[in-house]
Amino acid sequence: MRILPRDFLVVNDMYFAVVTKIGKGYIVSARFDKNHKTRQYPRRFYRYVDALKKKALWIKKNELNRHISARRYEKYEISDIALEIVDRIREGVALRKKNIGITGSYLLGFENENSDIDIVAYGTKAYIKIVKNLFEIEGIERLRERDWIKVYMKRCVRYPFRTFLFHERRKKNRGILGGHMFDILPVTKVYRISQVQERSFFEFKGNVLEDRHRICYPAKYNIEGFEVFSYDFNFLDQVREGEKAYVKGELEVTKDKNRVYVGEEGYLGLI
């Protein structure tokens, strides 16, 4: 079975969320352990990746014990509320089963009272269809300000709450059903990562010249002629064509072009 972003890889009772494939392995993010509570970053998987010219959490294919597919969520024991949200969205916007999935703690069965439900939309068209019609689906409500405060505190973003609220509200990819918060995460065409030759810290301000890949994976923007990209959900659909943006990240020099990577330590937002 093909391994996609938002799936999980199991290695010795540790659960890693897939970010993207590189070489003979996968860049991963959050790690859940068998106690279902903690997230850690074990040093033995924090390796130098030549294609990126830096260290990253990278799992080799031959280390995998198991693959948990977000798209095949029906194979696992999923809570009723998560299944209800998926069914309402799928039926409400007329999606095919292959275009929607469940990821995060609810896919693994590790959820608690503070867990949000992470819904995956496969394909740009599916994602757009959902966010355009989400609040027309019976029972699905918008987040209130106190809900947004909870999201803000949980995401640990590095900019003021009002800035966060402006960016997030216009994305229309979060909702509530029966008191349970959920978000919609796109998995679209995954762009191949070119070999990095050099990298350095970089920040600049400029006009957003093109945004047609703002809801792709990774999200990509043309800002003052620089390709700016990010795998971080916070920076999905973050800025739009015609706006002015401030960018802080890593300048990556490749054979074909220079690009700016914005990760958890970086920033991308309106001026």
Side-chain angles (χ1 to χ4, degrees):
M1 186 188 303
R2 186 182 174 196
I3 296 174
L4 296 172
R6 313 291 185 191
D7 289 354
F8 279 86
L9 306 178
V10 183
V11 182
N12 300 332
D13 291 326
M14 293 177 289
Y15 298 74
F16 296 90
V18 176
V19 175
T20 191
K21 183 180 183 297
I22 289 185
K24 295 182 178 180
Y26 298 88
I27 298 294
V28 296
S29 58
R31 171 239 174 169
F32 294 80
D33 72 8
K34 61 183 178 182
N35 295 320
H36 304 182
K37 296 179 181 179
T38 60
R39 293 186 181 190
Q40 300 173 2
Y41 297 89
R43 290 190 177 186
R44 69 190 177 99
F45 297 121
Y46 194 61
R47 298 156 164 158
Y48 183 81
V49 181
D50 185 62
L52 300 178
K53 287 291 185 286
K54 70 174 184 178
K55 285 189 172 183
L57 276 171
W58 187 63
I59 306 295
K60 299 175 184 177
K61 283 184 179 180
N62 60 11
E63 293 173 324
L64 304 183
N65 300 133
R66 190 155 58 101
H67 165 219
I68 301 175
S69 170
R71 183 177 255 167
R72 304 287 183 89
Y73 64 91
E74 292 176 312
K75 292 174 55 179
Y76 314 109
E77 292 185 13
I78 306 292
S79 75
D80 290 342
I81 184 61
L83 292 174
E84 182 180 354
I85 290 171
V86 167
D87 288 344
R88 289 225 189 175
I89 292 173
R90 187 168 58 81
E91 293 169 6
V93 302
L95 283 183
R96 292 183 290 179
K97 279 191 175 183
K98 72 174 188 176
N99 290 123
I100 196 164
I102 298 173
T103 189
S105 58
Y106 276 83
L107 175 63
L108 302 178
F110 294 173
E111 72 273 9
N112 57 43
E113 65 276 6
N114 297 315
S115 299
D116 296 341
I117 301 168
D118 298 320
I119 308 299
V120 182
Y122 293 98
T124 304
K125 290 182 180 179
Y127 179 82
I128 292 173
K129 198 172 185 181
I130 292 171
V131 298
K132 278 188 173 181
N133 300 285
L134 187 61
F135 302 111
E136 296 176 12
I137 299 171
E138 183 179 356
I140 292 181
E141 302 173 347
R142 299 175 189 271
L143 273 64
R144 299 152 294 190
E145 184 153 324
R146 64 176 178 268
D147 301 316
W148 283 115
I149 291 172
K150 289 180 182 177
V151 175
Y152 178 75
M153 298 299 290
K154 186 174 181 180
R155 298 304 294 264
C156 299
V157 294
R158 296 171 174 266
Y159 41 96
F161 172 68
R162 288 294 163 189
T163 303
F164 170 81
L165 189 61
F166 170 79
H167 282 289
E168 295 301 311
R169 272 183 169 162
R170 70 177 183 169
K171 296 176 185 179
K172 300 178 182 178
N173 60 4
R174 297 181 189 271
I176 296 178
L177 178 66
H180 293 270
M181 279 196 286
F182 64 90
D183 46 35
I184 313 296
L185 312 173
V187 169
T188 62
K189 178 182 178 181
V190 180
Y191 292 93
R192 183 179 177 185
I193 295 179
S194 303
Q195 175 80 37
V196 176
Q197 298 174 344
E198 298 176 32
R199 70 168 55 247
S200 59
F201 175 78
F202 190 67
E203 60 182 320
F204 70 102
K205 298 176 182 179
N207 295 309
V208 182
L209 304 180
E210 192 257 308
D211 68 355
R212 63 193 176 97
H213 295 119
R214 71 178 191 267
I215 56 173
C216 290
Y217 192 83
K220 296 204 302 184
Y221 309 87
N222 181 336
I223 303 177
E224 289 296 332
F226 286 97
E227 179 184 289
V228 177
F229 74 104
S230 181
Y231 291 96
D232 193 317
F233 181 53
N234 287 318
F235 302 125
L236 165 79
D237 194 13
Q238 185 78 343
V239 293
R240 297 177 183 178
E241 189 172 323
E243 297 178 342
K244 293 182 180 293
Y246 168 60
V247 182
K248 182 167 69 174
E250 295 176 276
L251 178 64
E252 297 183 345
V253 178
T254 72
K255 182 179 178 180
D256 303 320
K257 59 188 170 185
N258 296 344
R259 64 194 183 202
V260 181
Y261 168 67
V262 181
E264 291 181 357
E265 302 298 317
Y267 178 76
L268 170 63
L270 298 181
I271 297 174

